[in-house]
Amino acid sequence: MIAKKIAKKADVADSFTRLGTYISAAPEAGEKLDRFWIGNCNAGETLDDLPAALAEIEAVRQKKPKVKDKTYHLVVSFRDSDRDKLTDAALKDIANSFVTALGFEGHQYVAGTHINTDNFHMHVGINKVHPQTHRVLTPFRDFKILERVSREMERKYGLAVDRGMSDRDLTQAPGLSPAAKDHEARTWEVSFQRWLTDNRATLLPEIQQAGTWQDLHETLARHRVQIKPQGAGMVFASDDGQTMKASAFDRSCSKAALEKRLGAYQPRQELAPKGPALNTETVLPPPGLSAQPTPPPGKGYRPRPLDRTTGTPRLWRHYRQRQRAVRRSGGLDRALRTWASFILVEAYSDPLAAVVLLAHREALTILLPSSDPFHRPARISEASLAALRVWRNATPWQQTTARPAWAEKSRLGSAGVKVDDLGNLIVPFRSSQGRAQGRIEGVLLVAKDGSTLTIGPVSRDSLHLIDPGRTLQERSSSQRAAPKAPVLVTADYPSAVALAQATGAAVAVARCEADLSAVAAALSARYHAKATVITRKQGTGLALPSTLAPAELRSRCARAVEDKAMLLWDSSQRPAGRDNPVLAAQGVQSYGCREDDTGSLLVPLRTLSGRLEGVAMLRPGEAPSQTVNLARGPLVAMIDPLRELGTDRPVLLAQDYPTAAALHRATRLPVLAVQDPADWQATAEAVKSKWPNASLVIAMDDTRSNREQAQAAGLPLVAPVTPSGRRVSYADLTQPKTAEVLRDTLADATKDAVWQAWRSGHAPDRTDHPVMAVGTLRRGVRISDDGKILVPLRNGHQRLSGVLVVSADGEPLHTVTGQPTPEKAGKGAAPAPQPLTHVVGGWEKKGSTGPVVVARSLAEAVTLHRETTATVILTTGRPEDLAKALHDRGRPVLLAGKDLAIPQTKGFDAPDAKQKAALRKALTALTLPMRQGRGTVLGRGM
């Protein structure tokens, strides 16, 4: 999604009615109205209400007759692939979000979506005059607001992400303004600002050598450049009206700096009258002016194509000749207004223009590239399909059925290619030699069945380069001593995409197998690169089968691309166990770690997307060492066995792997161990950006640096505290016995409802409740301040995972589990939480084989526990399911109320003598172990 403001032209009067009519009529060629609505107008919301709404808006605008610009025109462009996702409700929400963020909440506006041959876009025309207050609002720095809202809407509706100004691509000219980018996107011609920037090394010394304003004017005139005041500053201007702020070109060219050096601004003075002056005496310039004449036209800034490809010079000459002819005749040809419109029209009749068309479309994607270099290929415009159809029908295809069909690869991305109307990939090939370096020589069409068609004069060393990380850069002779950048070379485009995705390295595609060596030599000469040829058969280069999984593919190519992290990770395949010296000393377990032959622990360091880019090596008694690739973004050691990253669960940030493992054992939350404990703020910001809905908690020691970083990031810093209230280091709390200390420390920050409920009670004594006379029960539960009984519920690993709250008279009130409420069964429903249990009288000993009684309530369990020494269990699930599960494990099980009759009592009241005798008789018949001589003791206090 790309949102931009359409600025009002100085020579065009402001008319909201004209804009509203334009939005509703979609008058451009090939364009049609898709959807339309009106906002904040009493006249209505539909297209039929437009005349009345425009009259209402114009009436409001009459309240500010002196304001010349009362309209804000916004255009939001979407990817064609996202059109199906954008429902009416979504489009209205997107429009309202932009209107509100710009400060126009309550302002009247009209909005409509247009469909044309190029893209799907939305126009929003906003009345800047508020209908009630009549104040005129002009947003400040609105381009940042538009970018922020665009990113928010992309995340909200799952749309394709387009980069904005905050993540500008490195291939852009430095400081290229939105106006210059709009000019290039509209005309496909090099902007005046780009030309100034590219020629800065030549222009700046001449500007700085000028001694007077007239010298400066004459110097710039030699380059067809003017300098003049504008607003509070100065601008450089071209003959066609394009401008660039002088201070943006260089600080020494600001108005203050120039007037300090040259005095107050003076306009340029002509040295001689215009036109030829034959047989006249030489006119001397006034004192202080330069007598150097202005050079003839032809030097300096002149319009030229943004990108040069095969056939561009001929087409450009034809374009300029037709422009001059139209100007002489005084006619008007809309196809000649810009180079872009000319190419679009010519592509219908001139097949060579389609190559130029593809090249310029690629140049635009370079200016505003996608954040994902492997997004699905975009379709080319209808204007170029006619030329492609001619080529496809007139040129024989080359049958290469041995090549795998790219359509069968479900995750194949485009990596800079297009797709035509038949689904053929259009892969551009660029020259690698001479002055034509980087220019498109031709394209390769790859059909779904693997057959190919070459269009254009593609030379042997031409290539298609996939380099999302921009690892290849041209080097001068003085830079050749630096290490060579690795690059892989293959003749199969699908394999090239798979290699780039798996390795992250640059991959070059040759036209055919016979050209592999020529392409490798060209890469070595141009980039001083270390090229490795990838083939299918044993012989030259690295032979790889086409059936390798991405992980295996990366491992096979690790040495060729100098993937240090993967080489170290693959050096040992043995998983680290509890007997590892490092893990045993810290008392933690391994979460995806490995160990080498020396017992060193290998901890994988990954990007937040999960890609392995580093390995930390921990040795007993030594400081950790790291082997890290050049990665984008911070690296972390991820501990998330339940795969909860990206959900609304809290995420902990830890200072190293041992403390991260201990924190996960205590909290069962996802934990990220940072790569650099001294500078973790960047990692925190990246986590917040990737998972905005997750609650991030900084679980690190209470140091000055950590406090400052937490305050700067606006995140809670939770330092460990012992039960006595003394602050300690997390490094001292990695042993299993300290798990409850860690959980108690983080309970409030992580909103651990189970631990908070359990912590709210206290260990009971006999006087807290009559049932506490049963000593084993007293040691297993807690009593809240209001007299309720808190019964701990544990999972299969004996972890406290829930609390059953029972009233003083034995009635169950509610259960705190911290688990989501089970959804109704159906497709996509989350699995039901595992049932929890409570063993009355404490935990069972490991390896117990005695009889088990499954009770239905705590009161029933207390009654049974009084009379028998057998294990009595409560469950949050169905008692029948627990009985069956225990029976399947070979334990003798009795289900209360079914296999064993229990007398009905009120709450925790002990059964009377008759009921007790019947119960003991039933227990004896079932050969359960009985308690002896305790009747009088149990009766006391009840």
Side-chain angles (χ1 to χ4, degrees):
M1 177 192 302
I2 299 175
K4 66 177 181 179
K5 171 190 175 183
I6 305 300
K8 174 186 173 298
K9 294 183 179 180
D11 56 342
V12 178
D14 183 20
S15 173
F16 195 91
T17 298
R18 183 171 60 246
L19 175 60
T21 304
Y22 171 85
I23 295 175
S24 65
E28 295 295 336
E31 192 172 15
K32 65 179 182 180
L33 181 66
D34 177 41
R35 280 165 277 191
F36 181 85
W37 67 95
I38 304 171
N40 300 327
C41 279
N42 296 324
E45 299 181 353
T46 65
L47 184 60
D48 295 336
D49 303 319
L50 180 61
L54 292 177
E56 178 184 335
I57 293 173
E58 292 294 353
V60 173
R61 291 159 63 87
Q62 291 299 322
K63 299 294 184 179
K64 292 292 181 180
K66 296 183 179 180
V67 180
K68 296 182 178 180
D69 184 6
K70 295 176 283 190
T71 304
Y72 191 96
H73 184 187
L74 173 67
V75 175
V76 184
S77 298
F78 304 96
R79 301 275 184 90
D80 283 342
S81 58
D82 291 334
R83 188 183 302 179
D84 295 339
K85 302 178 184 178
L86 296 169
T87 62
D88 292 352
L91 287 169
K92 289 183 179 181
D93 180 49
I94 291 173
N96 286 329
S97 298
F98 280 108
V99 169
T100 303
L102 290 167
F104 290 122
E105 186 174 8
H107 286 241
Q108 301 153 320
Y109 71 90
V110 297
T113 56
H114 291 183
I115 303 175
N116 60 14
T117 58
D118 293 330
N119 66 336
F120 174 61
H121 60 277
M122 175 174 63
H123 290 269
V124 183
I126 309 171
N127 180 17
K128 294 165 66 173
V129 183
H130 194 277
Q132 279 79 41
T133 64
H134 299 153
R135 292 181 179 177
V136 180
L137 173 65
T138 300
F140 176 68
R141 299 177 71 84
D142 50 352
F143 60 92
K144 290 192 174 182
I145 299 174
L146 297 179
E147 179 188 346
R148 173 177 57 81
V149 177
S150 296
R151 302 295 86 76
E152 292 175 355
M153 295 298 102
E154 288 164 349
R155 288 193 297 268
K156 182 174 181 179
Y157 292 104
L159 307 179
V161 179
D162 290 292
R163 289 188 180 179
M165 296 185 66
S166 63
D167 47 4
R168 183 180 297 135
D169 191 80
L170 296 178
T171 58
Q172 289 186 155
L176 202 62
S177 67
K181 288 190 292 185
D182 289 344
H183 175 84
E184 293 185 348
R186 179 173 53 84
T187 65
W188 296 359
E189 298 173 6
V190 174
S191 64
F192 175 62
Q193 184 176 352
R194 183 181 290 275
W195 179 87
L196 283 175
T197 304
D198 292 343
N199 293 274
R200 186 175 182 274
T202 301
L203 293 171
L204 186 58
E206 296 185 17
I207 294 173
Q208 293 175 340
Q209 291 172 7
T212 66
W213 279 105
Q214 300 308 320
D215 283 344
L216 179 58
H217 287 305
E218 296 301 321
T219 297
L220 294 175
R222 289 197 296 273
H223 300 282
R224 306 174 68 92
V225 179
Q226 307 170 37
I227 186 169
K228 58 185 180 181
Q230 181 170 300
M234 306 289 292
V235 295
F236 293 121
S238 65
D239 294 340
D240 61 357
Q242 298 184 64
T243 61
M244 178 185 181
K245 290 176 60 177
S247 59
F249 179 75
D250 191 81
R251 294 302 303 169
S252 64
C253 299
S254 66
K255 182 178 181 180
L258 289 175
E259 290 189 337
K260 181 179 181 181
R261 182 164 63 88
L262 305 178
Y265 172 77
Q266 298 178 8
R268 184 187 180 191
Q269 299 181 15
E270 298 292 339
L271 301 184
K274 295 183 179 179
L278 301 177
N279 301 322
T280 58
E281 297 181 359
T282 303
V283 180
L284 297 178
L289 299 187
S290 171
Q292 185 175 4
T294 301
K299 296 183 178 180
Y301 171 71
R302 302 184 72 179
R304 61 181 177 85
L306 185 63
D307 193 19
R308 295 175 64 86
T309 65
T310 301
T312 299
R314 179 178 67 80
L315 290 170
W316 179 259
R317 287 194 299 271
H318 182 45
Y319 164 64
R320 298 294 286 179
Q321 290 170 1
R322 289 183 55 182
Q323 271 191 329
R324 288 192 290 269
V326 169
R327 290 194 189 101
R328 286 194 297 267
S329 64
L332 177 64
D333 189 344
R334 296 182 62 182
L336 297 175
R337 288 189 302 181
T338 65
W339 170 243
S341 59
F342 171 77
I343 288 297
L344 288 172
V345 173
E346 285 294 302
Y348 282 102
S349 57
D350 188 348
L352 193 58
V355 172
V356 180
L357 176 67
L358 294 175
H360 280 287
R361 287 301 174 89
E362 184 174 346
L364 293 180
T365 61
I366 290 175
L367 291 175
L368 290 172
S370 167
S371 61
D372 179 9
F374 300 106
H375 60 277
R376 286 287 180 182
R379 293 189 176 274
I380 64 175
S381 68
E382 293 289 339
S384 62
L385 286 180
L388 285 175
R389 293 189 186 103
V390 173
W391 269 321
R392 292 197 305 249
N393 297 331
T395 310
W397 286 72
Q398 181 180 1
Q399 299 299 324
T400 54
T401 54
R403 180 173 298 176
W406 64 268
E408 296 176 1
K409 297 180 178 291
S410 60
R411 292 182 59 83
L412 179 64
S414 70
V417 306
K418 302 289 183 181
V419 65
D420 66 5
D421 54 333
L422 298 182
N424 303 311
L425 284 182
I426 306 175
V427 184
F429 276 77
R430 299 177 180 274
S431 172
S432 61
Q433 299 295 330
R435 298 181 61 185
Q437 281 186 0
R439 298 180 185 176
I440 294 181
E441 290 189 331
V443 296
L444 177 72
L445 270 63
V446 184
K448 295 182 179 181
D449 62 357
S451 57
T452 61
L453 173 65
T454 303
I455 300 174
V458 181
S459 56
R460 290 194 63 217
D461 55 3
S462 294
L463 55 93
H464 174 72
L465 185 62
I466 304 174
D467 189 15
R470 294 183 179 84
T471 57
L472 293 184
Q473 296 181 359
E474 295 189 38
R475 302 185 184 185
S476 62
S477 57
S478 61
Q479 297 174 317
R480 294 301 178 93
K484 294 183 178 182
V487 59
L488 303 177
V489 185
T490 179
D492 181 46
Y493 176 78
S495 299
V497 175
L499 286 166
Q501 289 175 327
T503 66
V507 183
V509 186
R511 181 182 55 174
C512 60
E513 293 277 351
D515 296 344
L516 288 174
S517 57
V519 171
L523 289 168
S524 179
R526 180 177 178 184
Y527 297 110
H528 190 59
K530 177 186 175 183
T532 302
V533 173
I534 306 296
T535 60
R536 293 278 177 255
K537 300 178 181 179
Q538 295 291 340
T540 304
L542 181 62
L544 295 176
S546 60
T547 57
L548 291 180
E552 180 66 17
L553 194 62
R554 183 181 179 186
S555 296
R556 294 281 191 93
C557 299
R559 194 169 302 279
V561 300
E562 300 175 3
D563 192 341
K564 300 177 183 178
M566 183 57 66
L567 287 172
L568 178 57
W569 184 246
D570 287 342
S571 65
S572 176
Q573 299 291 332
R574 185 169 65 250
R578 291 182 179 273
D579 57 346
N580 178 270
V582 177
L583 298 176
Q586 298 288 343
V588 296
Q589 68 183 86
S590 169
Y591 294 96
C593 299
R594 295 179 181 178
E595 63 179 1
D596 59 14
D597 296 336
T598 65
S600 300
L601 185 69
L602 303 181
V603 181
L605 301 177
R606 306 180 184 274
T607 64
L608 295 182
S609 298
R611 180 179 174 84
L612 178 73
E613 294 292 358
V615 177
M617 180 176 290
L618 281 65
R619 299 181 178 87
E622 298 183 18
S625 61
Q626 295 181 352
T627 299
V628 178
N629 295 334
L630 181 61
R632 293 184 177 181
L635 302 182
V636 295
M638 290 184 175
I639 300 180
D640 184 28
L642 301 180
R643 299 186 181 277
E644 293 180 321
L645 282 171
T647 65
D648 56 357
R649 294 276 284 167
V651 179
L652 303 180
L653 215 60
Q655 57 198 16
D656 53 34
Y657 176 79
T659 59
L663 287 168
H664 176 73
R665 178 179 57 202
T667 64
R668 288 300 188 269
L669 293 173
V671 187
L672 305 178
V674 297
Q675 177 190 357
D676 184 6
D679 186 16
W680 51 261
Q681 186 177 346
T683 303
E685 296 293 343
V687 172
K688 289 196 298 183
S689 176
K690 185 172 182 61
W691 298 300
N693 295 329
S695 175
L696 185 60
V697 178
I698 309 303
M700 296 191 183
D701 294 343
D702 187 12
T703 64
R704 179 178 179 180
S705 174
N706 288 341
R707 288 195 301 269
E708 292 176 350
Q709 292 188 72
Q711 183 177 5
L715 295 170
L717 175 65
V718 183
V721 181
T722 63
S724 62
R726 180 174 60 90
R727 291 193 179 275
V728 294
S729 172
Y730 276 107
D732 300 329
L733 300 175
T734 60
Q735 298 297 329
K737 62 183 180 181
T738 61
E740 289 192 356
V741 176
L742 291 177
R743 188 173 183 183
D744 187 66
T745 300
L746 294 161
D748 294 333
T750 60
K751 297 180 175 58
D752 188 345
V754 173
W755 192 263
Q756 289 174 330
W758 180 248
R759 188 174 55 183
S760 65
H762 62 272
D765 55 30
R766 289 177 178 270
T767 62
D768 285 328
H769 194 284
V771 78
M772 293 302 122
V774 183
T776 52
L777 181 65
R778 184 172 69 248
R779 290 191 293 271
V781 301
R782 288 189 175 184
I783 298 292
S784 64
D785 293 338
D786 54 359
K788 297 184 180 66
I789 301 175
L790 308 179
V791 182
L793 302 173
R794 303 184 183 275
N795 60 12
H797 300 285
Q798 298 301 321
R799 170 183 165 80
L800 178 65
S801 302
V803 175
L804 173 64
V805 182
V806 180
S807 66
D809 55 3
E811 292 295 326
L813 300 177
H814 61 275
T815 304
V816 180
T817 63
Q819 297 175 333
T821 303
E823 301 178 3
K824 294 182 179 179
K827 186 176 180 180
Q834 294 297 319
L836 307 176
T837 59
H838 173 73
V839 180
V840 179
W843 297 353
E844 270 199 305
K845 293 183 179 180
K846 188 175 182 180
S848 298
T849 59
V852 176
V853 181
V854 179
R856 296 169 297 182
S857 66
L858 180 62
E860 195 173 67
V862 169
T863 300
L864 289 168
H865 188 63
R866 286 190 177 110
E867 304 301 334
T868 177
T869 59
T871 302
V872 183
I873 300 181
L874 288 173
T875 179
T876 58
R878 296 176 66 247
E880 295 82 358
D881 295 339
L882 176 60
K884 183 179 182 303
L886 293 172
H887 184 272
D888 292 342
R889 298 176 193 172
R891 298 291 296 274
V893 183
L894 296 174
L895 182 60
K898 180 179 179 182
D899 303 319
L900 177 62
I902 306 297
Q904 295 293 329
T905 59
K906 182 179 179 182
F908 295 118
D909 293 344
D912 56 27
K914 185 177 180 180
Q915 292 174 326
K916 180 177 179 181
L919 176 60
R920 293 182 67 85
K921 182 178 179 181
L923 293 173
T924 302
L926 294 171
T927 67
L928 288 175
M930 304 286 293
R931 297 186 186 274
Q932 301 297 327
R934 301 206 36 198
T936 56
V937 176
L938 294 176
R940 189 183 310 157
M942 296 298 295

